[in-house]
Amino acid sequence: MSPAERVAGLGTTIFTEMSALALRTGAINLGQGFPDTDGPASVIEAAVEALRGGENQYAPLPGVPALREAVFEHQRSWYGLDPEDVLITFGATEAIASALLGLCDPGDEVVVLEPYYDSYAACISFAGATRRPVTLRPPGFAVSEDALRAAIGARARLLLLNSPQNPTGRVLNRAELEAIAAACVEHDLICVSDEVYEHLVYDGEHIPIATLPGMAERTLTISSVGKSFSFTGWKIGWCSGAADLVAATRAVKQYLTFAGGTPLQHAAAAALRLPRTEVEALRDDLRAKRDQLCSGLDAAGLRPLVPAGTYFVNADVGVDAVAFCRALPARCGIVAIPTSVFYDDREAAATLVRFAFCKRPEVIAEAAERLAALR
Ligand SMILES: Cc1ncc(COP(=O)(O)O)c(C=O)c1O
């Protein structure tokens, strides 16, 4: 089977199907994970300034110095981390792909918490590696230490982590992160930690795993300007951490895209340098939207599992979620995604549906009204 055939059946097909359904039926699309408003105006101004100011040629391979410096500073000031190196990428997605291709040999095993973001499975497959899922089960989606240990085989090379997690909205707590860190140290695993929702935490706190003992030297931390700052279309991401891990990622990135988005890299530096109060205001706005959609789901008789982070909420619809989602646009004009597409073990979340709440309040209000028709 070719690599393309291996990844063709992954969850993305349902996104295409659902987006087409949304277009055809005029349904409100709560399937797609991007905001319907722009991020801060000052950051857009920084992009315009860079475009007009002649920042329109290739960036250096590691990224423009202003953004690299902003990432170093961000890691230091928010988390007390002091990464050895930083690489700017085309979104977190390119960092994930480059890291897996640069750090895994064919036949290696990658331990990954499932449900997982769909690019993980594709990139593990492109690297010729095998995924070993650790299943998080509703309603709590807690990490079971037994399941974690059982997933770590003799060929395990890397653990791919995502907290705050898409699609569950889980923010892993310190005890869970300590168990993961202990397993990484014991089995000498590299940890690739996808933290793109780092500033979208409504309950509890985001703890970068690189801050735990023994982890800074074995962790590559990934983030981007897409989610936390509402610029998903810019595709400006970065990774930071131990020099050898960043170097391996950079060696692959060089031959994927080399560099890109120069003016937007300058603007992303402005985003990372926003005052904390502005970052918190973006988060608080999304918290209000979370609460609004959760009330709507509750009122419609769909039981929301209130998320601590990200901009996704899962609801237990009590019936087969794939059939439910296929019928939902015609039943009430809403598009959503069955959570099982993010699992290898599709039975683990057979009745869960993922809804995105990164939409304007009036859109969420209209969605809630439509959902109420299901009662
Ligand atoms: C967990 C996770 N990682 C990475 C990404 C992609 O990030 P970017 O747009 O910066 O490539 C997403 C987007 O949905 C995501 O949910």
Side-chain angles (χ1 to χ4, degrees):
M1 207 192 283
S2 72
E5 284 165 342
R6 281 206 304 276
V7 301
L10 296 173
T12 37
T13 49
I14 197 100
F15 288 97
T16 315
E17 180 187 335
M18 290 299 159
S19 292
L21 253 181
L23 269 182
R24 206 168 60 238
T25 59
I28 297 176
N29 194 344
L30 301 184
Q32 287 172 325
F34 59 81
D36 59 0
T37 48
D38 288 339
S42 63
V43 178
I44 293 178
E45 279 312 310
V48 172
E49 223 171 89
L51 277 162
R52 294 228 164 97
E55 301 288 354
N56 296 300
Q57 308 308 326
Y58 290 132
L61 170 63
V64 303
L67 178 53
R68 293 186 66 239
E69 196 39 54
V71 173
F72 279 115
E73 250 177 64
H74 173 274
Q75 294 305 92
R76 214 175 293 134
S77 69
W78 281 86
Y79 308 122
L81 282 166
D82 189 15
E84 288 176 343
D85 204 354
V86 165
L87 171 70
I88 309 305
T89 54
F90 250 131
T93 305
E94 190 190 39
I96 294 160
S98 303
L100 288 165
L101 291 168
L103 294 167
C104 292
D105 284 317
D108 282 350
E109 292 182 353
V110 174
V111 178
V112 58
L113 305 186
E114 73 163 348
Y116 49 77
Y117 176 54
D118 56 358
S119 88
Y120 296 179
C123 293
I124 292 167
S125 173
F126 289 147
T130 306
R131 62 181 181 273
R132 294 292 308 273
V134 178
T135 306
L136 310 187
R137 296 178 189 283
F141 302 110
V143 177
S144 139
E145 239 178 283
D146 288 344
L148 175 65
R149 302 254 159 211
I152 302 176
R155 293 291 314 259
R157 166 111 181 105
L158 190 147
L159 188 143
L160 181 47
L161 183 65
N162 173 218
S163 176
Q165 201 208 28
N166 174 15
T168 61
R170 257 317 303 283
V171 178
L172 297 191
N173 61 36
R174 188 171 289 279
E176 289 171 309
L177 290 166
E178 280 173 353
I180 292 169
C184 287
V185 171
E186 186 185 330
H187 297 275
D188 195 20
L189 304 184
I190 295 164
C191 180
V192 172
S193 182
D194 175 351
E195 303 181 11
V196 294
Y197 298 96
E198 62 188 315
H199 293 303
L200 305 184
V201 174
Y202 318 113
D203 307 311
E205 64 167 330
H206 171 60
I207 304 170
I209 196 162
T211 61
L212 299 187
M215 291 308 287
E217 59 268 38
R218 62 177 67 251
T219 300
L220 185 77
T221 304
I222 293 175
S223 193
S224 80
V225 81
K227 311 293 181 172
S228 288
F229 299 97
S230 289
F231 290 111
T232 59
W234 287 10
K235 279 289 183 181
I236 299 297
W238 50 85
C239 58
S240 62
D244 57 335
L245 304 182
V246 175
T249 308
R250 187 168 52 235
V252 174
K253 186 238 176 348
Q254 173 165 10
Y255 297 109
L256 292 180
T257 58
F258 181 73
T262 305
L264 302 179
Q265 290 196 27
H266 285 278
L272 284 180
R273 293 201 163 109
L274 283 171
R276 251 166 218 258
T277 47
E278 269 201 62
V279 178
E280 285 161 5
L282 291 167
R283 176 204 62 197
D284 292 346
D285 177 59
L286 276 162
R287 180 193 281 119
K289 291 171 174 175
R290 172 196 71 169
D291 295 344
Q292 190 189 0
L293 184 58
C294 285
S295 312
L297 289 166
D298 216 15
L302 308 175
R303 283 164 306 172
L305 307 174
V306 180
T310 77
Y311 41 54
F312 300 108
V313 52
N314 288 270
D316 191 340
V317 297
V319 294
D320 176 67
V322 175
F324 179 91
C325 288
R326 287 203 164 110
L328 200 56
R331 284 180 71 198
C332 73
I334 299 286
V335 161
I337 300 288
T339 310
S340 63
V341 302
F342 301 99
Y343 279 89
D344 287 345
D345 178 1
R346 300 219 159 174
E347 287 311 306
T351 59
L352 288 194
V353 173
R354 190 196 75 170
F355 296 86
F357 55 80
C358 45
K359 308 294 172 188
R360 282 166 290 141
E362 59 272 28
V363 174
I364 299 176
E366 171 65 24
E369 207 169 294
R370 293 185 184 190
L371 288 165
L374 294 175
R375 277 220 95 124

